[in-house]
């Protein structure tokens, strides 16, 4: 059992943008944490990361890293196609695991990961959480819990991050490749994970997906992609009420975020805040209750404003200081089952019941 005073040695498997931007600095901010080594997609890229961040060791492959008895924990920053095998092997080698979102390629892999974590209950297994709503989660959850909206009637969520007119000249991203991304679609899973924090999971899913841009450029070649770039999902929620969820990257002038929560006694709206706002908030929250003549701003108290503390939570969980709340493997399996249900419904046109 690791104590609060023990040093923790971490190895990095995959060092993409989020690992370099968030995880390396975040881990180094924790007292008594050492990043010993890194293995990336190639030896050359591993050495570049090691040189950039002063990481002392580079490994030939991930097997060599996991066989290093000095390493207590691993941060897995690869694309989703490697998350399940790396996580299962890491846990079997006795390493704590922080794995990048999305959890896996599909819910079968997610279940394998959850089962592996149950076989090693003394090890911490954490998924990098959907960060988008962390700032307002506590405020919204408190409002709902205190009866501000009454019972849920409907959620209308539109996410149009980076949306524009369709452009086949844009490069092929790994998210457009099922071999790397699996059943994950755009940022669908990220916002569904946030909605589960507020309302719990969906009970049924019916989805319509369109792949408007069917080809993208990759190293000078045009390659096909079948992953939807516009998606409409209709859900019945397990706890009552429904949700209409649209995710798009091909709808010009679409709002980056437009979220309405309608209840029997109240309504809440979340949209992007004025970037020039003096309080530095990302989101503007407003609401109204039965009898009000108009929507009014809802204050997000500073003490309730959440933020990114993934690496701190991971290290604290290893040391027994706090449990993992963002995000454990049980919740990860739920959003991967949702992801599979959406993909199945898009293909069949049928309503799919959850859990799978």
């Amino acid at each position: 059992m690791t104590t609060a005073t023990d040093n923790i040695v971490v190895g990095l498997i995959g060092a993409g943008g989020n690992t370099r931007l968030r995880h390396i600095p975040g881990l180094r901010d924790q007292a008594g944490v050492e990043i010993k080594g890194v293995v990336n997609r190639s030896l050359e890229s591993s050495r570049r990361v090691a040189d950039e961040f002063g990481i002392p060791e580079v490994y030939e492959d991930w097997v060599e890293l996991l066989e290093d008895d000095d390493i207590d924990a691993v941060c897995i920053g690869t694309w989703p196609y490697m998350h399940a095998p790396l996580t299962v092997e890491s846990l079997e080698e006795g390493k704590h695991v922080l794995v990048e979102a999305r959890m896996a390629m599909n819910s079968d892999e997610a279940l394998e990961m959850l089962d592996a974590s149950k076989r090693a209950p003394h090890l911490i297994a954490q998924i990098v959480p959907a960060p988008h709503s962390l700032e307002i989660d506590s405020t919204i959850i408190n409002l709902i819990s205190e009866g501000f909206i009454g019972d849920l009637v409907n959620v209308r969520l539109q996410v149009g991050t980076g949306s524009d007119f369709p452009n086949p000249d844009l490069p092929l991203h790994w998210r457009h490749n099922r071999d790397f991304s699996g059943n994950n679609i755009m940022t669908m899973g990220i916002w569904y994970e946030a909605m589960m924090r507020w309302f719990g999971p969906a009970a049924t899913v019916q989805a319509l997906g369109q792949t408007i841009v069917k080809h993208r450029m990759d190293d000078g070649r045009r390659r096909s992609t079948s992953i939807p770039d516009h998606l409409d999902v209709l859900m019945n929620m397990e706890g009552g009420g429904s949700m209409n969820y649209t995710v798009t990257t091909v709808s010009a002038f679409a709002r980056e975020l437009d979220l309405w929560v309608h209840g029997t006694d109240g309504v809440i709206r979340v949209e992007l805040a004025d970037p020039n706002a003096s309080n530095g908030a990302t989101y503007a929250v407003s609401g109204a209750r039965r009898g009000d003549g108009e929507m009014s701003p809802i204050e997000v108290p500073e003490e309730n404003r959440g933020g990114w503390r993934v690496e701190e939570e991971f290290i604290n969980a290893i040391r027994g200081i706090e449990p993992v709340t963002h995000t454990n493997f049980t919740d990860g399996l739920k959003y991967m089952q949702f992801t599979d249900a959406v993909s199945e419904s898009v293909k069949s046109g049928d309503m799919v019941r959850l859990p799978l």
Side-chain angles (χ1 to χ4, degrees), residues 74-277:
V74 295
C75 175
I76 299 171
T78 65
W79 298 336
Y81 78 112
M82 288 298 294
H83 288 182
L86 288 172
T87 295
V88 172
E89 189 69 23
S90 297
L91 292 169
E92 290 178 350
E93 288 289 336
K95 316 295 187 188
H96 304 281
V97 173
L98 175 65
V99 60
E100 191 64 71
R102 300 273 50 103
M103 184 177 184
M105 297 276 278
N106 52 55
S107 61
D108 287 341
E109 289 190 354
L111 182 58
E112 289 177 18
M113 295 165 70
L114 176 60
D115 286 345
S117 72
K118 289 178 177 179
R119 292 193 297 269
H122 60 294
L123 297 173
I124 298 303
Q126 178 179 354
I127 306 165
V128 174
H132 297 65
S133 66
L134 293 174
E135 176 185 312
I136 58 174
D137 278 342
S138 292
T139 298
I140 301 296
I141 290 168
N142 288 342
L143 286 170
I144 293 171
S145 300
E146 293 165 1
F148 184 91
I149 66 167
D151 294 328
L152 180 65
V153 174
N154 176 256
V155 179
R156 286 193 292 119
L157 172 60
Q158 177 181 296
V159 178
T161 306
S163 194
D164 201 350
F165 289 105
N167 184 358
D169 295 327
L170 292 175
L172 184 78
H173 190 272
W174 65 263
R175 293 183 185 276
H176 303 131
N177 188 332
R178 288 189 186 275
D179 293 337
F180 295 142
S181 189
N183 286 336
N184 298 295
I185 300 171
M186 296 178 285
T187 56
M188 175 189 71
I190 290 175
W191 276 102
Y192 178 72
E193 181 185 337
M195 295 299 98
M196 280 203 304
R197 295 175 197 157
W198 300 1
F199 308 111
T204 66
V205 168
Q206 192 152 14
L208 176 65
Q210 303 179 67
T211 308
I212 304 299
V213 180
K214 295 180 171 60
H215 299 87
R216 293 178 182 269
M217 299 305 297
D218 180 36
D219 292 331
R221 294 181 58 185
R222 194 173 76 161
R223 298 188 185 274
S224 63
T225 178
S226 61
I227 295 178
D229 45 25
H230 186 95
L231 182 70
D232 296 289
V233 187
L234 180 62
M235 295 170 257
N236 284 312
M237 305 306 292
E238 188 177 88
S242 64
M243 182 180 302
N244 303 69
Y245 182 17
T246 296
V247 190
T248 183
T249 61
V250 291
S251 302
F253 299 102
R255 283 178 173 267
E256 186 170 339
L257 174 69
D258 196 10
L259 171 57
W260 289 84
V261 179
H262 294 277
T264 54
D265 295 311
V267 58
I268 298 171
R269 187 181 189 188
V270 179
E271 52 192 326
L272 293 182
D274 182 346
N276 299 316

Side-chain angles (χ1 to χ4, degrees), residues 67 130 169 213 286 349-350:
E67 290 177 345
D169 295 327
V213 180
S286 56
D350 296 332

